[in-house]
């Protein structure tokens, strides 16, 4: 990682000396590794907990609703506060806010690992989400302000995309390993405690990061935040909890309220701009050629990713009765292919770069349908399943990584923090929507999950699970066609 990052030398001069003492230039590779470590820690935590849920139920005696909140509390707080975290970094300095977020995340992880009751664990999971929302937006801001030239920035973004995908896969594998190992009889607790040494290492080397503070005066857009925060909350909460609770009436009311909230946000942001304020959704960002289409393409790619990850995990563990560890290892070919494509797509001739997101969406769709066909009869797909997953992962990298690089390469440094908050929020909401929508599709088609997961011969549920996953994979591939159209529109509009 460091070697590649060193090749992406920043095109900006180091900060001037302060207080008569010159400050050595920060090694870009070291700073890049620090922020990506924080990113990996947050992504892994999103996925590692799913594997540990059965052990939590056995250890804490948690109810179904309690377990749902353990998983969802992190996501809810994370998604709701991302934009606020981005603006705070712009005001207080990206390094300072990033390290504050890492410290809060690490402390909350320690508390989660030692939590004596379900209620304490839920509260600390929300606190973890606050820490993640504080630190994650600073990563894109630090990358954008460190690598200002399009080429180095694109290479840095390729590694960033690789960490997102690799962290998701690693979370599945690491969760299975830690829960299965049952270290010192600790059961599920190491899935949280593993964050503590990583977080402490990031804090120890945090002084190497550039401060990344803007020279101008930045303020919080309080009217915008007061509208955006409840609007995002009203969208995320029913999506996360709706299906497990049977889609109650309050969930539909909240979804309707979120639509009204986002409509009101447009009016409020227009008035803030007219008064000379600094809206959290500045026209200078959303008005960039092709930006809306680019964000739509990123949203489609993350919906596809979230829906696929959740649907396949259910099909493997519930439909095929695979252990958490084996199911996690099944994702490895996808993660490896994603990493290889993410780190090497820029080696292609430049004339292919504009087309790569479109091609990536299409290849990913082929891989998804292929995996669905392999599993639809209730079988495990054999070795071909790994090939199909590698095809899907490579296509996903071409779609998401190349499109992310194109979108961010056209963002002015002056709105880097706002762009970070908006893009990360779009990505996170995409994953939530993917899990909720396509997870619900799978569960509705497959029927009630087995009460216990143990090795068993091919049965009715295995067949139903295979058919359900094929339907999910086909729907996700169709969504990929919409993503390809949006990626093409972004390329066409941004080239004008």
């Amino acid at each position: 990682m460091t070697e590649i990052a060193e090749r992406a030398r920043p095109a900006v001069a180091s900060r001037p000396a302060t207080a008569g003492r010159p400050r050595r230039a920060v090694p870009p590779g070291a700073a890049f590794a620090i922020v990506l470590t924080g990113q990996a820690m947050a992504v892994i935590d999103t996925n590692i907990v799913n594997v540990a849920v059965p052990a939590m139920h056995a250890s804490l005696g948690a109810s179904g609703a309690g377990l749902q909140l353990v998983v969802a509390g992190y996501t809810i707080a994370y998604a709701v506060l991302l934009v606020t975290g981005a603006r705070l970094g712009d005001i207080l300095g990206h390094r300072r806010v990033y390290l504050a977020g890492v410290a809060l995340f690490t402390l909350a992880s320690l508390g989660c690992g030692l939590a004596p009751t379900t209620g304490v664990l839920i509260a600390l999971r929300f606190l973890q989400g606050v820490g993640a929302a504080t630190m994650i937006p600073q990563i894109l801001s630090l990358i954008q302000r460190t690598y200002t030239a399009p080429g180095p920035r694109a290479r840095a973004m390729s590694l960033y995309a690789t960490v997102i995908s690799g962290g998701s896969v690693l979370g599945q594998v690491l969760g299975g390993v830690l829960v299965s190992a049952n270290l010192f009889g600790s059961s599920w607790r190491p899935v949280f405690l593993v964050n503590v040494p990583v977080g402490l290492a990031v804090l120890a080397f945090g002084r190497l990061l550039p401060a990344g503070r803007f020279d101008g005066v930045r303020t919080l857009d309080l009217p915008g935040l007061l509208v955006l925060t409840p609007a995002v909350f009203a969208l995320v909460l029913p999506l996360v909890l709706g299906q497990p609770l049977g889609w109650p009436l309050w969930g539909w009311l909240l979804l309707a309220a979120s639509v009204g909230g986002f409509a009101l946000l447009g009016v409020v942001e227009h008035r803030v701009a007219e008064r000379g304020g600094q809206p959290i959704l500045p026209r200078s960002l959303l008005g960039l050629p092709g930006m809306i289409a680019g964000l739509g393409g990123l949203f489609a790619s993350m919906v596809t990713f979230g829906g696929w990850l959740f649907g396949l995990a259910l099909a493997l563990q519930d439909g095929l009765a695979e252990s958490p560890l084996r199911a996690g290892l099944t994702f490895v070919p996808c993660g490896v292919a994603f990493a290889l494509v993410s780190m090497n797509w820029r080696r292609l001739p430049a004339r292919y770069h504009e087309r790569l997101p479109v091609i990536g969406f299409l290849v990913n769709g082929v891989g998804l349908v292929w995996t669905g066909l392999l599993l639809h009869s209730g079988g495990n797909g054999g070795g071909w399943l790994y090939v199909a997953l590698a095809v899907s992962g490579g296509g996903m990298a071409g779609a998401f990584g190349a499109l992310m690089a194109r979108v961010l390469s056209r963002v002015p440094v002056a709105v880097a923090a706002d762009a970070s908050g908006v893009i990360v929020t779009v990505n996170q909401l995409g994953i939530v929507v993917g899990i909720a929508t396509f997870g619900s599709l799978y569960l509705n088609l497959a029927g009630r999950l087995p009460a216990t997961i143990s090795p068993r011969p091919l049965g009715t549920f295995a067949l139903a699970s295979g058919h359900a996953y094929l339907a999910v994979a086909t729907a996700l591939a169709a969504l990929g066609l919409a993503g390809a159209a949006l990626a093409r529109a972004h390329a066409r509009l941004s080239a004008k």
Side-chain angles (χ1 to χ4, degrees):
M1 177 185 295
T2 303
E3 178 183 353
I4 297 175
E6 288 287 353
R7 290 163 48 196
R9 287 286 177 182
V12 294
S14 59
R15 293 175 62 125
T18 59
R21 182 175 60 186
R23 181 176 179 179
R24 291 183 299 174
V26 177
F32 193 48
I34 292 168
V35 295
L36 285 189
T37 300
Q39 175 72 59
M41 184 169 60
V43 173
I44 289 172
D45 195 81
T46 304
N47 296 276
I48 199 173
V49 177
N50 294 323
V51 179
V53 165
M56 292 177 189
H57 175 65
S59 173
L60 297 175
S63 65
L67 292 173
Q68 291 157 16
L69 287 174
V70 168
V71 175
Y74 175 86
T75 303
I76 292 170
Y78 183 24
V80 168
L81 297 174
L82 277 168
V83 174
T84 304
R87 179 55 64 88
L88 286 175
D90 213 2
I91 297 170
L92 302 175
H94 303 304
R95 179 181 62 194
R96 180 184 301 171
V97 176
Y98 173 75
L99 294 178
V102 171
L104 180 59
F105 185 91
T106 304
L107 185 61
S109 296
L110 177 62
C112 287
L114 302 176
T117 65
T118 305
V120 173
L121 182 57
I122 291 171
L124 289 168
R125 283 288 284 168
F126 272 93
L127 194 61
Q128 261 193 320
V130 175
T134 304
M135 70 174 173
I136 294 303
Q138 318 315 322
I139 295 172
L140 282 178
S141 297
L142 287 165
I143 291 174
Q144 288 175 265
R145 293 183 65 80
T146 302
Y147 303 107
T148 58
R153 182 185 289 185
R155 286 192 288 272
M157 291 311 305
S158 295
L159 280 175
Y160 173 83
T162 301
V163 167
I164 290 178
S165 174
S168 299
V169 173
L170 182 58
Q172 300 278 343
V173 177
L174 186 59
V177 170
L178 292 175
V179 174
S180 300
N182 191 24
L183 299 172
F184 307 106
S186 56
S187 184
W188 52 270
R189 298 183 185 276
V191 303
F192 296 111
L193 296 176
V194 71
N195 293 326
V196 176
V198 179
L200 292 176
V202 172
L203 292 172
F205 291 98
R207 60 181 179 82
L208 297 176
L209 295 174
R213 186 170 181 174
F214 281 80
D215 295 329
V217 177
R218 301 286 282 176
T219 60
L220 282 175
D221 172 18
L222 291 179
L225 289 175
L226 289 175
V227 176
L228 177 63
T229 299
V232 174
F233 183 81
L235 173 65
V236 172
L237 186 64
L239 288 179
V240 171
L241 298 179
Q243 198 283 329
L245 298 180
W247 295 104
L249 177 61
W250 62 261
W252 295 107
L253 294 176
L254 280 180
L255 287 174
S258 72
V259 174
F262 286 116
L264 177 62
L265 178 65
V267 176
V268 170
E269 293 294 83
H270 178 72
R271 292 182 177 176
V272 170
E274 282 186 337
R275 293 197 300 266
Q278 299 166 346
I280 51 179
L281 299 177
R283 294 180 183 177
S284 55
L285 172 64
L286 299 182
L288 292 173
M291 178 57 66
I292 299 297
L295 291 175
L298 291 174
F299 182 77
S301 69
M302 287 294 98
V303 171
T304 302
F305 178 74
W308 163 79
L309 191 69
F310 187 75
L312 183 57
L314 288 176
L316 293 174
Q317 294 189 56
D318 294 301
L320 299 179
E322 292 187 354
S323 67
L325 177 57
R326 182 172 178 179
L329 291 173
T330 303
F331 288 92
V332 170
C334 176
V336 171
F338 193 105
L340 291 174
V341 173
S342 293
M343 291 188 291
N344 291 285
W345 66 265
R346 290 194 59 81
R347 297 177 184 270
L348 294 172
R351 64 180 181 275
Y352 294 117
H353 291 181
E354 180 179 306
R355 308 172 193 170
L356 186 57
V358 176
I359 296 172
F361 274 113
L362 298 179
V363 172
N364 182 39
V366 171
L368 289 172
V369 174
W370 190 2
T371 61
L373 292 173
L374 289 170
L375 299 177
H376 87 285
S377 63
N380 61 15
W384 286 111
L385 178 63
Y386 302 110
V387 178
L389 289 173
V391 170
S392 181
M396 197 179 302
F400 175 71
L403 183 58
M404 174 77 89
R406 284 186 57 83
V407 170
L408 283 175
S409 67
R410 286 157 176 76
V411 173
V413 174
V415 292
D418 292 323
S420 299
V422 171
I423 291 173
V424 175
T425 300
V426 165
N427 290 342
Q428 184 63 26
L429 289 178
I431 293 175
V432 171
V433 170
I435 291 174
T437 304
F438 293 96
S440 296
L441 176 61
Y442 171 87
L443 293 170
N444 289 333
L445 294 176
R448 183 181 296 275
L449 297 179
T452 60
I453 300 175
S454 59
R456 59 188 183 277
L458 182 65
T460 302
F461 183 80
L463 287 171
S465 172
H467 289 302
Y469 178 71
L470 176 59
V472 168
T474 304
L476 290 171
L479 177 63
L481 295 177
L486 289 166
R488 180 71 185 106
H490 169 74
R492 185 179 67 255
L493 293 171
S494 62
K496 293 182 178 178

